[in-house]
Structure formats: C-alpha cells, structure tokens
Amino acid sequence: MEDIDTMFTDLLGEMDLLTQSLGYETDPSEMSSSSSQIENNFSIGFTDLKESLNELEDHDLDALMADLGSDLTETEETLNAAKTGHVHTQQNKSGYYTAQQHLQAPIPSSQMSSSSLPPEPSEPLLAGEAEAQAKADKIKLALEKLKEAKVKKLVVKVMMSDGSSKTLMVDERQTVRDVLDNLFEKTHCDCSMDWSLCETNPELQAERGFEDHEYLVEPLSAWTRDSENQILFLLRPNKYLLFKDPQIFYLWKKHKQFMNEIKECHKELLLKENFEGPSLIVPDLEGPLYLREDGKKSWKRRYFLLRASGIYYVPKGKTKTSRDLACFIQFDKVNIYTTTDYKQKYKAPTDFCFILKHPQIQKESQYIRFLCCDDEHTLSLWVNSIRVAKYGATLYHNYQTAVRRALTTTSTLHVTSLPVSSPPTHSTGHIATVRANGHPDQDYLSEPPPDFIPPPPPGWGSGV
C-alpha cells in the first residue's frame, strides 16, 4: 500500500509540473509569426492583410465593414442569450470529472469600435488628408473585426489578361459563379460563358480552371503561406467545349469529316441522351498514354480507359476486359491540372501533359500522378472527359446557367449575336446519376430522327 501511495504522489507531482509548464509566456517572435500567419489567412495575392484592404475600393471597404458589423452583432446576440460565467461539471464513463467553462460574452462591437479608433486630431485636416485618415481608420477597424467574423472572408487579388488586377472580398458562401458575376460588373466586359477563374501553380508549372459551382474560399485556403500561386480571369474557349460540340467526345472514334458535318439537332440529341437520362454517361474514352512512374524519371506507355469512377489501365500481358483492368486513380479526392513545359522539366515525351493531385498538395510529391498525351486533341479529350466523370450532371447545370447569364446580358444590351453556340431547347426533368460503369441501359437510348446520318462501318476512319 505504501508503494501505491508513493506512486500516486509522484503522479500528482508530475501532473502539477505539467500544468505549470502550460502557463509559460509565449516568445515575442513566436507571437509575431502567429499573428502574421493569421493575417495571411485573410488575403490571397498580397504580402499582408493591411495592403490588401488598402487596395479595396471605398465602396467595397464600406460594404465589408457593414457585413462584418452584421456578423459580429448576430454573434453577440447569440452569446448574450446563453448563460455566461458558470462552470458545470460532467462525469464521464471513467468516473473522472471535467470542467466546461462557457465563453464570456465579447465586448459589444459599438464599444470596441469606439475604443479602437484613434483620438480626434487637435488640428483640422485638409480634405485629402481627412479622406486618407478615414480610410486608415476603417482599415484598422476592419482588421480587428475580420479576426472575429464568424464567416471566413478573403481579400483576393485577381489578375487580368492585360497584366492589371482587381481586388475582391470573397466569403466562404460565394461560388465561383458569384465571383464571375462580380467581375463582370467591375470590368464591364461581356458575360460570355467562356470567362473563367483559373489558379496557377508556378512550383508545379500547372493550372486549372475552377468549376462554377465550387466555393472559391475552400481551394484558396489550401495555398501555403509562401505560395506564388495566382488567380487569373481570362477567356477559355474549351471550358464548355464538351457541351458545344459533344460529338467530339462521345463519337471520338468516328471520322473527323463525319463529326464536322453533324447538325445542331444531333448535338442536342447527344446531350439529351448522355446528360438528361436516368444515368449520366461518361465518354467511353480509351487509348495509349505515357505514365511517369513513381520515383522514376522514365515514362512508360500504357493503355488507359476512362470510367465513371476513375482511370484504369491494362496490366502487361492482360486484356481490356473488366476483370483484368487495374485501377490507376479515382476522382473523388483529386483535381485535374494541365501543365506547361513538362518536356523540359520532367523529360516528358511531349508537352501535352496533365496531372492529377489532391488540392492540398502544392509542391512536388510522390502522390501526384503524371500522364502525357501524344497531341493537343488527345489532351483535350482526356481533360474534359475526366471533368464529366468527376462532376457529373453538375457540370452540365453550370453550362446551362452560364448560357442563361450570357443570353440575359445579350438581350439587355440588344446585341444581335453571341460568339458561342445557343443552348439546348429541351429542359432537364431531374438530376441524372452516374452509374458505376458510366454506361446507360441500352433500351433507354432514344431512336434517332429520320434524317440522322448513320455512323460509318467499324474500322472506317481513324480514332482521333
């Protein structure tokens, strides 16, 4: 018993020492680094948060202040409604007790605002100085409120194609579509469906276009503190090429002349059969690609197949039957990026490469998958078809929304034509689901119209 008492006393002593060590004073340099990291989390494309707020236009800064004030007021009302200052104990299954301290209500924003503002100047300021001082006061108050806001917000620098930039305030509830609409108003450009927001990663020499349904703050939050990544606002004609010319992707084995002569009504039929049925159909794409193997500098040529769940390949000595296929990668945790100059960077066979990686990976990693195509057309086939496999019917809905936005603006401005194809006249009755193999039941496919051009016999023409 004495030994047990001694052990218990020693244990209590160690716990006391541990408790005391938790109360050490933080080193000033560590506090500075932590504070800098917090401020960096509020801005993208700037050296610090104060610089980013200073770049905001006056009306945007006023809107931010009003929004933050609304967020803080709502939070204060919620906390004030709860009981404060009471400690409750709760017994857990082990018989020990834990103390839960309720948060004290914060200082009301009205008091914080008055205390945070600098004292009134003793001498009257000139008109220009007064405006500068007023903006400086707003920025100081915004810095304090941003750290307490319940909705995450980012001040984002978006680069234009002419080298200029626009500064936007984006919160976590805004989709890329919302940000595009905001940029349309700021730049007064047309609302073509080809406008895109893209992220570039100089470290990996890669880029991708954000999908319109994505919440922009989420992928930007994955950027590292020292990242040189940028957001670009530019025209990308291939953004919705799959819906403008679906025959390129769903009839890719046919002859080029056949695909060039297909009528608009047949394009609409392809969209209806592949995107508006009970199951969404992924392009039945397959062919040889070059693979950069893990940990090696060499590229090997393998035969790959695209399915709704991911990319598969044919192992050496096997056939293309489903039981022989090996899974290369699945799409639920990765994004697809196109690359630049990989022929020089990684000794790729061509410059038509793409990579698949988790959005959190921002630098070179063994978990990045590298693939290389023979030509630009094959690269376009794979990149766009993978987007369909990953996002399904959501991608089609993005396209329809972009078409409606472009047509609404066109009718408002009395423009006679658009540099893009018209949207399908049919409407979607429900959201199609992607089947595991990406193929629909054969009895579902509708009959072609009387004037539909029959496909050429097997083996006629090239596959690309």
Side-chain angles (χ1 to χ4, degrees):
M1 290 296 294
E2 292 179 358
D3 292 339
I4 294 177
D5 290 340
T6 303
M7 292 173 61
F8 186 72
T9 302
D10 293 340
L11 178 60
L12 289 177
E14 291 179 6
M15 291 178 64
D16 184 54
L17 290 174
L18 178 61
T19 304
Q20 293 177 14
S21 67
L22 292 176
Y24 71 94
E25 293 185 2
T26 306
D27 184 74
S29 62
E30 294 181 2
M31 292 181 62
S32 176
S33 174
S34 175
S35 176
S36 177
Q37 178 66 55
I38 292 173
E39 290 197 2
N40 186 268
N41 289 338
F42 289 119
S43 62
I44 295 293
F46 298 92
T47 56
D48 57 55
L49 180 58
K50 187 173 182 180
E51 178 195 353
S52 65
L53 290 175
N54 194 57
E55 286 293 320
L56 282 175
E57 298 176 10
D58 288 339
H59 64 275
D60 289 332
L61 186 57
D62 290 338
L64 169 63
M65 295 291 292
D67 196 15
L68 289 172
S70 174
D71 285 346
L72 291 176
T73 299
E74 185 177 341
T75 305
E76 289 167 9
E77 291 175 353
T78 303
L79 291 174
N80 286 330
K83 293 181 179 179
T84 59
H86 299 287
V87 179
H88 299 276
T89 57
Q90 178 180 350
Q91 186 174 14
N92 60 24
K93 294 181 180 179
S94 303
Y96 294 98
Y97 290 88
T98 58
Q100 296 178 336
Q101 176 69 47
H102 285 282
L103 293 175
Q104 297 289 341
I107 300 173
S109 59
S110 58
Q111 296 180 17
M112 182 186 67
S113 301
S114 60
S115 60
S116 61
L117 291 176
E120 291 292 330
S122 56
E123 297 181 2
L125 299 175
L126 299 177
E129 295 177 346
E131 292 179 2
Q133 183 64 47
K135 186 166 185 177
D137 294 344
K138 289 180 183 179
I139 290 175
K140 183 177 179 181
L141 185 55
L143 287 171
E144 296 178 3
K145 287 190 173 184
L146 269 173
K147 296 175 184 178
E148 299 185 28
K150 66 174 183 177
V151 176
K152 186 170 185 179
K153 303 176 189 293
L154 287 177
V155 184
V156 181
K157 178 185 286 186
V158 181
M159 304 303 298
M160 306 287 111
S161 57
D162 61 358
S164 63
S165 64
K166 291 289 181 183
T167 304
L168 304 175
M169 174 62 67
V170 182
D171 70 46
E172 61 186 353
R173 300 164 296 186
Q174 289 181 291
T175 63
V176 172
R177 178 78 259 168
D178 297 329
V179 177
L180 284 173
D181 289 342
N182 192 357
L183 283 168
F184 291 156
E185 295 178 4
K186 284 182 173 290
T187 59
H188 306 290
C189 67
D190 63 70
C191 300
S192 166
M193 69 179 74
D194 294 337
W195 284 109
S196 304
L197 276 183
C198 305
E199 66 168 320
T200 62
N201 186 318
E203 175 80 14
L204 297 174
Q205 295 178 204
E207 73 167 42
R208 81 174 181 103
F210 293 117
E211 303 298 348
D212 287 359
H213 67 274
E214 290 186 72
Y215 291 97
L216 186 60
V217 168
E218 184 176 347
L220 296 186
S221 299
W223 291 7
T224 57
R225 181 183 177 186
D226 58 346
S227 173
E228 296 182 0
N229 295 8
Q230 288 186 331
I231 304 175
L232 307 179
F233 176 58
L234 71 169
L235 285 167
R236 292 184 62 149
N238 287 337
K239 180 178 180 179
Y240 290 127
L241 178 63
L242 187 139
F243 304 111
K244 299 175 188 176
D245 293 309
Q247 76 279 5
I248 296 176
F249 303 90
Y250 285 95
L251 304 176
W252 61 275
K253 295 180 181 180
K254 309 303 179 185
H255 196 274
K256 286 184 179 180
Q257 184 179 356
F258 169 77
M259 292 190 291
N260 292 336
E261 294 176 354
I262 195 169
K263 298 179 180 179
E264 289 298 323
C265 61
H266 300 151
K267 294 180 182 180
E268 292 187 16
L269 179 63
L270 280 173
L271 290 177
K272 184 174 182 180
E273 290 181 341
N274 292 298
F275 288 93
E276 297 184 20
S279 61
L280 182 141
I281 307 174
V282 174
D284 193 13
L285 188 61
E286 61 181 65
L289 297 173
Y290 296 96
L291 166 66
R292 186 173 187 261
E293 296 187 313
D294 297 342
K296 298 181 180 179
K297 296 182 179 180
S298 60
W299 296 73
K300 279 195 174 181
R301 194 172 175 88
R302 291 185 179 273
Y303 199 89
F304 289 88
L305 300 93
L306 177 66
R307 295 294 182 262
S309 58
I311 299 178
Y312 297 78
Y313 68 93
V314 180
K316 188 175 181 180
K318 300 292 184 179
T319 66
K320 292 193 295 181
T321 57
S322 298
R323 67 175 180 271
D324 287 338
L325 296 180
C327 181
F328 174 66
I329 196 169
Q330 294 184 320
F331 300 133
D332 53 345
K333 302 291 185 182
V334 298
N335 291 326
I336 182 168
Y337 295 75
T338 56
T339 66
T340 56
D341 206 17
Y342 268 26
K343 196 171 183 178
Q344 179 177 354
K345 183 178 177 68
Y346 293 115
K347 309 301 179 185
T350 73
D351 272 329
F352 307 108
C353 303
F354 65 92
I355 61 174
L356 296 151
K357 72 176 186 69
H358 192 281
Q360 293 286 345
I361 298 175
Q362 295 294 312
K363 299 184 179 181
E364 291 194 33
S365 167
Q366 60 178 326
Y367 299 106
I368 299 177
R369 297 292 177 261
F370 298 80
L371 290 170
C372 181
C373 306
D374 285 322
D375 50 57
E376 188 175 5
H377 175 70
T378 306
L379 175 63
S380 177
L381 286 177
W382 279 95
V383 170
N384 287 285
S385 299
I386 288 172
R387 290 170 63 210
V388 173
K390 179 174 174 60
Y391 300 111
T394 303
L395 198 65
Y396 185 48
H397 297 156
N398 291 347
Y399 163 72
Q400 292 176 313
T401 301
V403 170
R404 287 193 296 268
R405 181 72 165 87
L407 291 178
T408 300
T409 307
T410 301
S411 60
T412 302
L413 299 177
H414 304 287
V415 178
T416 57
S417 63
L418 275 175
V420 291
S421 60
S422 59
T425 56
H426 45 265
S427 59
T428 55
H430 58 279
I431 297 177
T433 56
V434 181
R435 291 184 46 177
N437 59 5
H439 298 280
D441 297 330
Q442 293 299 318
D443 59 353
Y444 157 71
L445 297 178
S446 59
E447 293 295 327
D451 59 343
F452 185 76
I453 304 173
W460 183 74
S462 60
V464 181

